[in-house]
Amino acid sequence: MPSAYASHFGINNVPYGIASSTKRATPQAATRIGDEVIFLGPLAETGTFKHISAPLPEIFRQTALNAFAALPKDVQSQVRSTIQKAYSRGDYSSAAEPIGDVTLHLPVQIGDFTDFSASKDHVLNASEAVTGTRAYPPAFMKYPSVYAGRSSSIAVSPKPVVRPHGQFVEDYTVPQKTIIFGPCRALDYELEVGAVIGKPVEGGQMLKAADADAHIFGLVLVNDWSARDVQALEMNPLGPFNGKNFATTISPWIVTLEALKKFEVPAPPRDETVSSFIDDKNAVNYAINLEVQLKRNGATETTCRVGFETMYWTFRHMIAHHTIGGCELRTGDLVASGTVSGQGDDEHGCLLEQTFNGKRPKTLSNGTELRYLNDGDEVRFTGVAGLPEDGVGFGDCYGVVMPAREF
Amino acid sequence: MPSAYASHFGINNVPYGIASSTKRATPQAATRIGDEVIFLGPLAETGTFKHISAPLPEIFRQTALNAFAALPKDVQSQVRSTIQKAYSRGDYSSAAEPIGDVTLHLPVQIGDFTDFSASKDHVLNASEAVTGTRAYPPAFMKYPSVYAGRSSSIAVSPKPVVRPHGQFVEDYTVPQKTIIFGPCRALDYELEVGAVIGKPVEGGQMLKAADADAHIFGLVLVNDWSARDVQALEMNPLGPFNGKNFATTISPWIVTLEALKKFEVPAPPRDETVSSFIDDKNAVNYAINLEVQLKRNGATETTCRVGFETMYWTFRHMIAHHTIGGCELRTGDLVASGTVSGQGDDEHGCLLEQTFNGKRPKTLSNGTELRYLNDGDEVRFTGVAGLPEDGVGFGDCYGVVMPAREF
């Protein structure tokens, strides 16, 4: 019987990850087709890629995909089509193992992690939940909001997340001033998509949005776990820090822009004129159907269904903004979208929005009250581009909430 | 004739850096005494460190100090005293080259860069310059303000800094709404000190402030170059990003806590009670005399003289706060103090404070008006612990402002 996500990994996907197994103890480059993981180093050794002028056998043996991600797009494209042909011919089985036999690792070494806030609905909903007013940040019509995240805390799914300690006001739902220390009481998920940088952007290169795709290797799902009470207190004046830096989870397979090409959809029109460097006549999003499933006390419920195509700012916009001051982007850097939310009641990519910062709790189908995450809650993101039969998905990005540490 | 900073590097300093030369083309570990740079790999090959049980010859050949920084403090201490003895005996000359013959490189591979805001005076002055009101951030009495910085933009002194482009309101001195794109008009320096992490802090380790010194390898000077107009627009809601990520400069030599031990001074008393994990009965700062010299049109002027001992929050406090939510710190991570400012008019560690965000320009001794940095301005930070005759200093952290790129 195929696994839950076999259908995400059709022949038109060919994502890249880092895998190991009993037989292949050293983590190394791999792809997944259906429920088979194909190790690319061993595949290269059979001569499969010998027509491609790149040191692939060596690159595929590395413990992170950075060197592969930095290769020219046409080389990556040849690798993809060669894998597809080898699979179709059946010339790959000595390099393949069942998905159940492998362990997946962080696919790239991530130098810097940047987290944007690119969804209009998220910005407005979060603003209302926290301040009572639906308002865009002062510059939101000119560029997406953004902060630098923590790269040391990024782990690959399915890493458990320990409820963090922190300092916060005693009751995060009402304005008051008593600051206490203890385990977070408002633990949240954030449904995001992340772009992994391929070809680096040199310091001072100052990209235009229209040219940014050349630097994106592919996309992953991202859970930007958030301690809302900790975050609320620290945000003024320098933005989120301990409210975010305890854990970020990404899905293990990087889906390339080439695989996603078919699912490009025009980005929403601009509400205001924007600066020429960030203006992108052909701005595109990707039609990716995202879902959040929350499992509590044995019962699973879908708490969010939203399309990634709703995003106001696209990855091209984000990357152009990121580089316009001269900032370098290195291969493997992760640039995430911020919470993906739409207009509907079931399109909230985080609980801050969905439960109005805990002030308007929902009742789950099993009767329990949902404000924020409880210990033991399991959070699973999934993403499928286009229709299920297109066979291009992200698998899942999963985490279970563990109780706070003793302190 | 000794160089300008020979006196900073007395026998009681023994800082660590990464150097190369014509003779030694591969960057590698070195120390500096007076005007001599001693390459530690070659020194190790003469058997100097053979009584120390650590693979030092191999560690000193690496192109970054991370492996050395991660060694136990007692091993680092043995290395220091061994270098001091070898120097005193004259048994080092085959490994030494004049400072003028070497190139200095980034001393450590920096995984994540964290920038705090730990000075009361800076916080109050900056608040007044921007908002008109002297006010602490909501949590400042409980923990220092902080944001995640950009590690890819950190360079070693004396790297030139290109004036960044960005989006900002047309006149940063008055509230209004026209957002334009162009070269920054309010380029600033920030005088900071940074701690380089030695022994890593595991995710979930949750340090107490009193235990944090064990994880600090040493200190450097930091110039957190800031585009104040870009920063002002982007700060709401997620903190600084493009206003900071275009350039950060650090001084090349890491001065160890052991060398600084003699210059410990008690930190100021707490104004309010703080949480037990961050409470540190023996909180110490370091008596480091910091200076900023600004050279414009050929004339040099000292724009700031301030003691690092004025800081309200110490590195121990900062690191405890950083780890209390479970965040991992890796060897080589840089944790900076934020702008160091005191109460006096000549104790402002940035021009935002000194010129009241450009609204109260100063007149330099050569008659030119100082609001923010001009193209061609040269900014030099220096730091000396204790008295000059103590021989423990940081050398300088230097940068010249280059004109904005064509766009």
Side-chain angles (χ1 to χ4, degrees):
Chain A
M1 204 183 90
S3 78
Y5 303 109
S7 68
H8 290 207
F9 300 99
I11 188 77
N12 293 320
N13 193 343
V14 192
Y16 298 101
I18 292 288
S20 63
S21 68
T22 308
K23 218 153 98 181
R24 297 172 172 103
T26 306
Q28 55 190 283
T31 188
R32 175 176 178 178
I33 299 179
D35 277 338
E36 287 182 295
V37 171
I38 305 173
F39 287 85
L40 299 177
L43 189 64
E45 274 161 27
T46 66
T48 307
F49 303 107
K50 64 178 187 296
H51 60 292
I52 302 174
S53 56
L56 293 172
E58 189 186 309
I59 285 172
F60 289 144
R61 287 292 185 186
Q62 295 181 12
T63 57
L65 291 169
N66 295 57
F68 182 65
L71 289 175
K73 290 252 182 194
D74 64 328
V75 172
Q76 292 169 356
S77 184
Q78 287 176 64
V79 168
R80 180 170 184 266
S81 62
T82 302
I83 292 169
Q84 289 170 323
K85 282 176 208 151
Y87 184 83
S88 302
R89 284 194 315 264
D91 293 346
Y92 70 99
S93 48
S94 67
E97 296 188 44
I99 182 73
D101 290 357
V102 308
T103 302
L104 296 167
H105 307 269
L106 209 56
V108 278
Q109 193 194 330
I110 300 167
D112 279 292
F113 168 38
T114 301
D115 202 9
F116 279 86
S117 178
S119 157
K120 274 177 154 181
D121 294 297
H122 171 64
V123 163
L124 292 176
N125 293 338
S127 161
E128 188 178 5
V130 173
T131 71
T133 312
R134 291 180 75 78
Y136 293 115
F140 192 80
M141 285 299 141
K142 301 299 179 187
Y143 57 81
S145 304
V146 55
Y147 69 99
R150 178 85 192 169
S151 69
S152 73
S153 304
I154 302 173
V156 75
S157 171
K159 179 108 187 275
V161 170
V162 179
R163 180 179 300 276
H165 277 70
Q167 298 193 61
F168 45 83
V169 296
E170 193 155 12
D171 181 352
Y172 59 84
T173 62
V174 294
Q176 42 91 18
K177 288 189 162 183
T178 309
I179 296 171
I180 59 169
F181 170 71
C184 164
R185 300 173 181 185
L187 184 63
D188 202 355
Y189 55 77
E190 283 198 340
L191 172 66
E192 306 194 11
V193 176
V196 176
I197 298 298
K199 182 183 174 186
V201 182
E202 285 168 37
Q205 200 175 329
M206 302 172 73
L207 287 184
K208 293 189 174 71
D211 301 327
D213 274 1
H215 299 272
I216 301 176
F217 174 54
L219 307 187
V220 292
L221 304 179
V222 178
N223 188 342
D224 181 36
W225 302 90
S226 300
R228 297 299 186 193
D229 39 10
V230 175
Q231 185 190 350
L233 181 61
E234 75 189 353
M235 285 277 280
N236 176 354
L238 297 177
F241 188 71
N242 277 354
K244 301 280 193 174
N245 67 17
F246 59 95
T248 304
T249 310
I250 67 172
S251 57
W253 297 105
I254 302 175
V255 179
T256 64
L257 286 206
E258 189 174 6
L260 292 167
K261 185 81 190 165
K262 182 179 163 188
F263 309 101
E264 285 185 354
V265 289
R270 300 301 90 183
D271 290 354
E272 290 185 15
T273 57
V274 296
S275 189
S276 63
F277 84 89
I278 206 168
D279 198 18
D280 181 4
K281 301 300 175 207
N282 303 308
V284 293
N285 273 326
Y286 298 97
I288 302 170
N289 296 304
L290 301 166
E291 282 195 20
V292 180
Q293 286 147 26
L294 176 65
K295 186 173 176 184
R296 177 178 288 181
N297 303 340
T300 300
E301 186 153 331
T302 299
T303 53
C304 172
R305 278 192 187 87
V306 65
F308 188 56
E309 65 276 10
T310 58
M311 300 301 275
Y312 185 70
W313 294 105
T314 71
F315 278 124
R316 296 185 191 180
H317 295 129
M318 296 182 228
I319 287 172
H321 177 68
H322 201 322
T323 64
I324 201 62
C327 185
E328 177 188 6
L329 300 184
R330 295 175 289 196
T331 300
D333 283 353
L334 182 66
V335 177
S337 64
T339 305
V340 184
S341 291
Q343 297 189 330
D345 272 351
D346 58 348
E347 295 184 305
H348 298 310
C350 63
L351 297 175
L352 171 75
E353 289 179 50
Q354 204 185 7
T355 72
F356 217 71
N357 198 22
K359 287 174 281 194
R360 297 178 191 166
K362 304 278 177 194
T363 304
L364 293 172
S365 52
N366 64 8
T368 72
E369 189 180 67
L370 176 65
R371 291 176 190 266
Y372 277 113
L373 294 172
N374 292 349
D375 292 347
D377 280 359
E378 297 172 56
V379 178
R380 190 183 305 273
F381 297 170
T382 57
V384 174
L387 301 168
E389 51 268 37
D390 290 316
V392 179
F394 291 79
D396 68 352
C397 181
Y398 169 89
V400 58
V401 177
M402 310 290 285
R405 296 174 185 90
E406 294 290 325
F407 189 76
Chain B
M1 204 183 91
S3 78
Y5 303 108
S7 68
H8 289 207
F9 301 99
I11 188 76
N12 293 321
N13 193 341
V14 192
Y16 299 99
I18 292 289
S20 64
S21 68
T22 309
K23 218 154 98 184
R24 296 174 172 103
T26 305
Q28 54 189 281
T31 187
R32 176 177 177 178
I33 299 180
D35 277 339
E36 288 182 295
V37 172
I38 305 173
F39 287 86
L40 299 177
L43 188 64
E45 276 162 25
T46 66
T48 307
F49 303 106
K50 64 178 187 297
H51 60 291
I52 302 173
S53 55
L56 292 172
E58 190 186 310
I59 285 172
F60 288 144
R61 288 293 185 183
Q62 296 181 10
T63 57
L65 292 169
N66 295 57
F68 182 65
L71 288 175
K73 291 253 182 192
D74 64 328
V75 173
Q76 293 169 355
S77 184
Q78 288 176 63
V79 168
R80 181 169 184 265
S81 61
T82 302
I83 292 169
Q84 288 169 326
K85 281 176 209 152
Y87 183 84
S88 302
R89 284 195 314 266
D91 293 345
Y92 70 98
S93 48
S94 67
E97 297 189 43
I99 181 74
D101 291 355
V102 308
T103 302
L104 296 168
H105 306 269
L106 209 57
V108 278
Q109 194 195 330
I110 300 167
D112 280 291
F113 168 36
T114 300
D115 202 8
F116 278 86
S117 180
S119 157
K120 274 175 152 183
D121 294 297
H122 171 64
V123 163
L124 292 176
N125 293 337
S127 160
E128 188 177 5
V130 173
T131 69
T133 311
R134 291 179 75 77
Y136 293 116
F140 192 79
M141 286 298 141
K142 301 298 180 188
Y143 57 80
S145 304
V146 56
Y147 69 98
R150 179 84 191 169
S151 70
S152 74
S153 304
I154 301 174
V156 75
S157 171
K159 180 110 187 276
V161 170
V162 178
R163 179 180 300 277
H165 277 69
Q167 298 193 62
F168 45 85
V169 295
E170 193 156 12
D171 181 351
Y172 60 84
T173 63
V174 294
Q176 41 91 20
K177 288 190 162 182
T178 310
I179 295 172
I180 60 170
F181 169 71
C184 164
R185 300 172 181 184
L187 184 62
D188 202 355
Y189 55 76
E190 283 197 341
L191 172 66
E192 306 193 10
V193 175
V196 177
I197 298 299
K199 182 183 173 188
V201 182
E202 284 168 39
Q205 201 175 330
M206 301 172 74
L207 286 184
K208 294 189 173 72
D211 300 327
D213 273 2
H215 300 272
I216 301 177
F217 175 54
L219 307 187
V220 292
L221 304 178
V222 178
N223 188 342
D224 181 38
W225 303 89
S226 299
R228 296 301 185 191
D229 40 9
V230 174
Q231 185 190 349
L233 181 60
E234 74 189 353
M235 285 279 279
N236 176 353
L238 296 177
F241 188 71
N242 277 354
K244 302 280 193 174
N245 68 17
F246 59 95
T248 305
T249 311
I250 67 171
S251 57
W253 297 105
I254 302 174
V255 180
T256 63
L257 286 207
E258 188 173 5
L260 292 166
K261 185 80 191 165
K262 181 178 163 187
F263 309 102
E264 285 185 351
V265 289
R270 302 300 91 185
D271 290 354
E272 291 185 14
T273 56
V274 295
S275 189
S276 63
F277 82 90
I278 206 168
D279 199 18
D280 180 5
K281 302 298 175 207
N282 302 308
V284 293
N285 273 325
Y286 298 97
I288 302 170
N289 296 303
L290 301 166
E291 282 195 22
V292 181
Q293 286 145 26
L294 176 65
K295 186 174 176 184
R296 177 178 289 180
N297 304 338
T300 301
E301 187 154 331
T302 300
T303 53
C304 173
R305 277 193 188 88
V306 65
F308 188 57
E309 65 276 10
T310 58
M311 299 301 276
Y312 185 70
W313 294 105
T314 71
F315 279 123
R316 296 185 192 178
H317 295 130
M318 296 182 228
I319 287 171
H321 177 67
H322 202 322
T323 63
I324 200 63
C327 185
E328 176 187 5
L329 300 184
R330 294 175 290 195
T331 300
D333 283 354
L334 182 65
V335 177
S337 64
T339 305
V340 184
S341 292
Q343 297 189 331
D345 272 353
D346 58 347
E347 295 183 305
H348 298 311
C350 64
L351 296 175
L352 170 75
E353 289 179 52
Q354 204 184 9
T355 73
F356 217 72
N357 198 21
K359 288 174 282 193
R360 298 179 190 165
K362 303 279 175 193
T363 304
L364 293 172
S365 51
N366 65 8
T368 72
E369 189 180 66
L370 176 64
R371 290 176 189 269
Y372 277 112
L373 294 172
N374 292 349
D375 292 347
D377 280 359
E378 298 172 56
V379 179
R380 190 182 305 274
F381 296 170
T382 57
V384 175
L387 300 170
E389 53 267 37
D390 289 317
V392 179
F394 292 78
D396 67 352
C397 181
Y398 168 90
V400 57
V401 177
M402 309 291 284
R405 298 173 183 90
E406 294 290 325
F407 189 77

